[in-house]
Amino acid sequence: MAKAKITFEDIEQTVNVPAGTRVIEVSEKIGAGIIYGCREGDCGTCMMHVTEGWNNLTEPSVLEEKVLKENMAGRHDRLACQAQILGDCTVKPT
Amino acid sequence: MRGIAVSRSIDVSAHRQAVEFADGVYWIGALDPTLRSFDIILTTANGTTYNSYLVKGSDGVAVIDTVKENFSDEFFARLESEARYEDIKVIVLNHLEPDHSGALPELMRRAPQAQLYISQRATSMLKALLHGDENLPYTTVTTGDSVSLGDRTLQFLHTPFLHWPDTQCTYLEEEGILFSGDVFGCHYCDKRLFNDLVGDFRFSFDYYYAHIMRPFKKHVMDALKLIEPLKLSQIAPTHGPILRERPRRYVTHYRELSTSSLSQGIGSDEQSMIIFYMSSYGNTARMAEAIAEGAGDVDGVRVSLYDLEGGETDPFVDLIEEADALLFGSPTINGDAVKPVWDLLSSLAVVNLKGKLGAAFGSYGWSGEAVRMIEDRMRGLKMHIPRSGMRVKLIPTAEELEACHAFGLEIAEVLVGKSGSGGVIDFADLA
Ligand SMILES: Cc1cc2nc3c(=O)[nH]c(=O)nc-3n(C[C@H](O)[C@H](O)[C@H](O)COP(=O)(O)O)c2cc1C
Ligand code: FES
Ligand SMILES: [Fe+2]
Ligand SMILES: [Fe+2]
């Protein structure tokens, strides 16, 4: 299976993951500082900032776009419970 | 009808009128003197108040926060004593918890021309609270935004997570009054309403902070950065006394409460590791000692060992809040970790554990579930579990104690950044 590396900047930890893994599945296991609530892309709690490899995450859905907008997301902010990892990227809590 | 002016003998339980406490600024809240338990997690020996406020400007009236739904009558009566619904131009909700949004739908029905001002985070909550009223018009605001009432201006401060994600504060610039929502509030019902007239509410104030604001200390500090530069003549929170005498000391007190609660000697260049354990025959205790020794070999780590059998939960909660790494040792008894461990692990809702390092260990007889269960709980508390736990069958051998020593050393190295960070780990290896 295709692999990708995701780095959590706040705890300086990189994890090798199977492509398609959601960021939240990794971040909660290693205890990175991204917090989450509903896990369904509704509450906006899990917003994170993608510092590198923005294009290596799945495109945001219409719902995610809406929640990001409602929560005043900046450029390259994503929901950790929605974004799936396709290639190497670096993220940190917003 | 005129609002009641404030005098020393004030008794707001004797009437249902607005109480003017600054020029054109009124309290229009409700008293709930018999309430004894609030939000499940709080008790109150003095009931509470739901404070709502009315501000009159040359170009319209603002209502800031409402009351719990079953206190609507009292709220509307006080409002009507001083304002007409058609003059209400602005409604502000500083957060949407039902004790302050309860009368909102009815207020919006009576004042359909009013514009509702809430924080961005509040929008999805508004929908979930007002089923059926989803088309309520609202404007979202944040720090730097303001709304004019003609000769007066309401400014908004974005103060998220105090104590809900959508929390904001509202500042009446011309009068220097901060409508702070639950911040600086307390559950204390006194018909004399003002901090210089009511009974001694210091305990209630600190208790409220400890249970409602403490988990969000970092956010409190951020909010104080916005609040401290303000000229403050009065603070008007949503519960408890209006803080009109020396309001700034409550701001200072919030800063004190949000700063480290333990004044002991762990240096700022040291990391604190706390090892808690329970042991019936001494096996888990022996593991704990070996782990502590191993961890103590790492420079910059201060290790403390605590037998849960000899302690009370509350002081441990303070210790845990200040610690950088937490280790829990429990034998497996009837397929579970022992109760004092769960008691402690279920008492931590008032502190923020996110990102602290955690590890579990314990001796067992045949199945050994305790260690995994403790790890799951720590993960649920958003802690970081860098190594999977250490289990030993019955009495630890010399080699097993060596392994415990190495385990402690490894966790301590992760803590000071000597291992684990900067490395690459595999998803499949994560417990
Ligand atoms: C003090 C307090 C803290 C809360 N914390 C959370 C929280 O962290 N996450 C969450 O999703 N909801 C939180 N809530 C919202 C409650 O879960 C929500 O109001 C729920 O509808 C209450 O259900 P009940 O009526 O059965 O008590 C909190 C509510 C209060 C009063
Ligand atoms: S956790 Fe709620 S949006 Fe991701
Ligand atoms: Fe509240
Ligand atoms: Fe409240």
Side-chain angles (χ1 to χ4, degrees):
Chain A
M1 201 193 297
K3 287 269 187 181
K5 277 196 191 64
I6 178 162
T7 301
F8 296 90
E9 227 172 84
D10 59 328
I11 56 166
E12 295 175 34
Q13 184 74 63
T14 302
V15 187
N16 258 321
V17 299
T21 309
R22 285 180 199 274
V23 176
I24 193 173
E25 294 173 55
V26 194
S27 71
E28 68 176 314
K29 281 204 165 155
I30 67 164
I34 298 167
I35 52 171
Y36 56 88
C38 66
R39 310 174 63 106
E40 297 172 340
D42 191 35
C43 69
T45 307
C46 65
M47 196 152 76
M48 61 173 180
H49 187 69
V50 187
T51 46
E52 273 171 57
W54 166 253
N55 290 318
N56 290 335
L57 294 167
T58 48
E59 293 272 317
S61 66
V62 178
L63 174 70
E64 184 181 341
E65 292 277 20
K66 183 172 157 287
V67 173
L68 285 168
K69 193 160 152 275
E70 266 183 17
N71 290 285
M72 292 188 284
R75 236 170 91 78
H76 295 187
D77 286 346
R78 291 293 305 272
L79 298 181
C81 72
Q82 298 300 300
Q84 290 167 270
I85 305 156
L86 301 176
D88 296 357
C89 57
T90 302
V91 300
K92 64 175 186 186
T94 48
Chain B
M1 222 190 304
R2 287 298 302 168
I4 303 280
V6 174
S7 76
R8 277 209 72 80
S9 57
I10 176 172
D11 176 358
V12 299
S13 68
H15 61 78
R16 288 189 157 200
Q17 286 180 275
V19 178
E20 186 169 24
F21 62 98
D23 187 27
V25 184
Y26 304 82
W27 176 81
I28 53 169
L31 306 180
D32 187 358
T34 58
L35 183 87
R36 290 294 173 265
S37 137
F38 193 89
D39 278 357
I40 305 170
I41 59 169
L42 289 156
T43 57
T44 165
N46 306 74
T48 193
T49 65
Y50 310 104
N51 298 335
S52 169
Y53 300 99
L54 186 90
V55 179
K56 286 187 181 173
S58 60
D59 185 26
V61 165
V63 174
I64 302 171
D65 288 317
T66 75
V67 298
K68 202 168 171 176
E69 192 176 6
N70 42 340
F71 292 83
S72 298
D73 288 352
E74 185 175 341
F75 160 73
F76 285 118
R78 293 193 200 274
L79 193 163
E80 286 165 17
S81 76
E82 205 45 59
R84 295 178 308 169
Y85 292 110
E86 58 266 35
D87 294 332
I88 299 175
K89 182 185 172 193
V90 170
I91 299 171
V92 178
L93 278 196
N94 282 327
H95 78 305
L96 291 193
E97 195 173 350
D99 55 333
H100 312 294
S101 60
L104 177 72
E106 181 57 26
L107 179 61
M108 303 272 304
R109 266 187 287 280
R110 296 186 188 190
Q113 77 290 342
Q115 185 64 224
L116 175 64
Y117 292 83
I118 53 176
S119 75
Q120 186 64 239
R121 273 278 170 109
T123 53
S124 63
M125 292 187 183
L126 189 66
K127 290 182 198 119
L129 283 167
L130 305 180
H131 299 298
D133 289 308
E134 278 159 29
N135 297 322
L136 284 185
Y138 63 81
T139 303
T140 62
V141 287
T142 186
T143 306
D145 292 336
S146 60
V147 57
S148 171
L149 301 172
D151 58 349
R152 324 187 103 169
T153 318
L154 293 174
Q155 294 179 357
F156 299 100
L157 307 177
H158 180 57
T159 55
F161 289 102
L162 298 185
H163 62 123
W164 271 26
D166 57 318
T167 307
Q168 60 179 358
C169 294
T170 304
Y171 180 62
L172 177 59
E173 197 181 323
E174 292 77 8
E175 300 290 333
I177 298 176
L178 182 70
F179 300 99
S180 57
D182 284 346
V183 185
F184 306 120
C186 61
H187 291 312
Y188 191 86
C189 179
D190 192 311
K191 59 196 180 186
R192 293 165 292 186
L193 206 63
F194 295 94
N195 67 327
D196 52 315
L197 303 179
V198 300
D200 188 343
F201 66 103
R202 284 174 295 181
F203 165 78
S204 307
F205 189 90
D206 286 13
Y207 178 84
Y208 190 86
Y209 175 93
H211 288 80
I212 295 289
M213 300 296 164
R214 181 177 177 178
F216 308 104
K217 278 185 176 179
K218 284 204 187 101
H219 294 283
V220 172
M221 290 298 218
D222 286 344
L224 291 176
K225 280 185 212 142
L226 294 177
I227 292 169
E228 280 166 347
L230 300 174
K231 176 177 75 81
L232 286 179
S233 69
Q234 308 197 45
I235 296 175
T238 44
H239 300 285
I242 295 174
L243 310 171
R244 66 176 181 184
E245 192 203 52
R246 294 175 59 209
R248 191 160 293 278
R249 73 182 145 141
Y250 299 95
V251 179
T252 310
H253 192 47
Y254 254 50
R255 182 165 281 282
E256 287 160 4
L257 290 170
S258 305
T259 317
S260 169
S261 57
L262 297 176
S263 54
Q264 32 72 312
I266 301 255
S268 55
D269 52 342
E270 283 185 306
Q271 302 282 315
S272 164
M273 175 190 285
I274 302 190
I275 304 175
F276 293 103
Y277 68 92
M278 277 293 275
S279 191
S280 48
Y281 289 95
N283 296 327
T284 303
R286 272 189 282 273
M287 293 178 73
E289 278 155 23
I291 292 168
E293 267 178 36
D297 286 350
V298 176
D299 276 347
V301 176
R302 182 81 77 94
V303 185
S304 325
L305 197 57
Y306 285 98
D307 183 347
L308 284 174
E309 206 171 345
E312 287 174 29
T313 303
D314 282 359
F316 284 154
V317 172
D318 294 343
L319 269 177
I320 286 174
E321 184 176 33
E322 301 293 319
D324 303 294
L326 298 167
L327 278 63
F328 287 91
S330 171
T332 297
I333 307 271
N334 294 338
D336 198 352
V338 296
K339 187 164 180 295
V341 170
W342 290 130
D343 285 346
L344 188 51
L345 285 170
S346 65
S347 306
L348 300 174
V350 297
V351 296
N352 181 7
L353 301 175
K354 201 174 81 196
K356 286 192 201 290
L357 229 55
F361 61 93
S363 170
Y364 68 100
W366 52 92
S367 55
E369 292 92 338
V371 168
R372 292 284 169 274
M373 293 171 92
I374 294 170
E375 285 176 341
D376 283 345
R377 173 64 181 148
M378 289 194 285
R379 253 180 235 113
L381 292 166
K382 304 190 176 73
M383 291 174 62
H384 172 31
I385 315 298
R387 297 286 180 274
S388 72
M390 174 65 69
R391 300 192 307 166
V392 165
K393 188 157 178 152
L394 298 168
I395 301 173
T397 62
E399 295 84 71
E400 283 166 336
L401 288 176
E402 244 339 282
C404 288
H405 190 280
F407 179 74
L409 188 120
E410 238 184 286
I411 306 270
E413 285 185 336
V414 175
L415 187 58
V416 296
K418 277 198 196 136
S419 86
S421 62
V424 179
I425 49 178
D426 208 73
F427 189 59
D429 293 340
L430 291 170

